[in-house]
Amino acid sequence: MATDIEGAARWLAEAVETGNPLAALPEGLAPASLAEAEEIAAAVLEALRITPCGLRVLRGAGLAGPMVEGRLVPSGSPVAAGMLRHGQASAAVVGVLAEALGEGPPVLARVHPAIDLSATRFTEAPADRLVLTADLARLGLVVTGRGRPMPESPVRIAIGPAGHRRRGEAFELAALFTEAAAVARDWGGLPAGALLVVAGLGEIVPAEGALRVTVSGLGVAEAKIG
């Protein structure tokens, strides 16, 4: 049986639009390959008449999906916990492309520290990578701090409760964005001004309470969830 791409997209689009949870996708609507899952994700945005503003890569989970401008919120914003079904939080960085994505490393105008607040449209959190990809790669909200030029040296990135200091893990930002750019090329490339979001950096914590991400040499992003 061929997968009904448009049917699956309609189910997910309605869940995105209304906030109502979905049961598991039935046979015939669940993607059977990564290409189908990516096609469903793109069709969801098309059904909602939303143009993606970039690509979001959830490292560690092996997920990637379109980034949506309406899911970006500034640091310090209050976030209703009800918006984040099965919510998880991780440290992230957001790069703004200064030039259209070419074959080499991405040229970034600026980089923002961020908190990735991932969520799902389903009543029960799916574990299948294909379903997660179709579900916009668990796109919830991305809370961004102030942008700055990308640090040349490695940085330390930490996530935890606001007010608590953590040393965090060391990352080379240029390498992170080069990896994300390779994924973006597989999705068809990105124009100047588009966003490359790299999330899932280090520890994954519940999306609850007051959270802070610190990126040494770059800054902080904070969110209060409740």
Side-chain angles (χ1 to χ4, degrees):
M1 178 187 298
T3 301
D4 182 356
I5 301 296
E6 296 303 322
R10 283 194 298 271
W11 274 43
L12 282 160
E14 181 178 352
V16 172
E17 196 167 40
T18 66
N20 295 331
L22 280 178
L25 290 174
E27 185 178 357
L29 295 183
S33 67
L34 184 58
E36 286 189 350
E38 292 174 353
E39 191 175 349
I40 291 171
V44 169
L45 297 189
E46 185 176 350
L48 294 170
R49 298 183 180 180
I50 295 174
T51 301
C53 64
L55 188 80
R56 171 175 162 272
V57 178
L58 197 56
R59 277 180 105 243
L63 295 175
M67 185 62 211
V68 176
E69 188 173 359
R71 296 293 176 132
L72 287 168
V73 296
S75 177
S77 299
V79 176
M83 294 182 64
L84 303 170
R85 188 173 296 108
H86 305 295
Q88 297 177 343
S90 68
V93 286
V94 179
V96 181
L97 288 175
E99 303 175 3
L101 192 60
E103 289 303 317
V107 180
L108 302 177
R110 59 190 182 278
V111 179
H112 300 254
I115 305 173
D116 185 80
L117 301 174
S118 69
T120 178
R121 266 44 68 183
F122 292 96
T123 303
E124 299 294 332
D128 183 86
R129 182 191 176 202
L130 300 184
V131 174
L132 289 169
T133 298
D135 187 27
L136 303 178
R138 285 189 55 95
L139 176 63
L141 298 173
V142 178
V143 182
T144 56
R146 182 175 300 177
R148 299 173 186 264
M150 186 165 66
E152 295 182 2
S153 57
V155 301
R156 285 197 171 271
I157 301 179
I159 185 171
H164 287 245
R165 290 190 174 186
R166 299 191 178 194
R167 181 170 172 78
E169 296 183 35
F171 291 93
E172 176 59 64
L173 291 187
L176 292 179
F177 283 115
T178 296
E179 291 175 6
V183 178
R185 290 188 195 97
D186 291 339
W187 277 71
L190 292 172
L195 305 181
L196 265 180
V197 181
V198 186
L201 302 177
E203 186 180 7
I204 309 294
V205 301
E208 58 188 29
L211 294 174
R212 167 183 278 201
V213 162
T214 303
V215 183
S216 63
L218 196 60
V220 303
E222 296 181 319
K224 187 173 183 180
I225 305 157

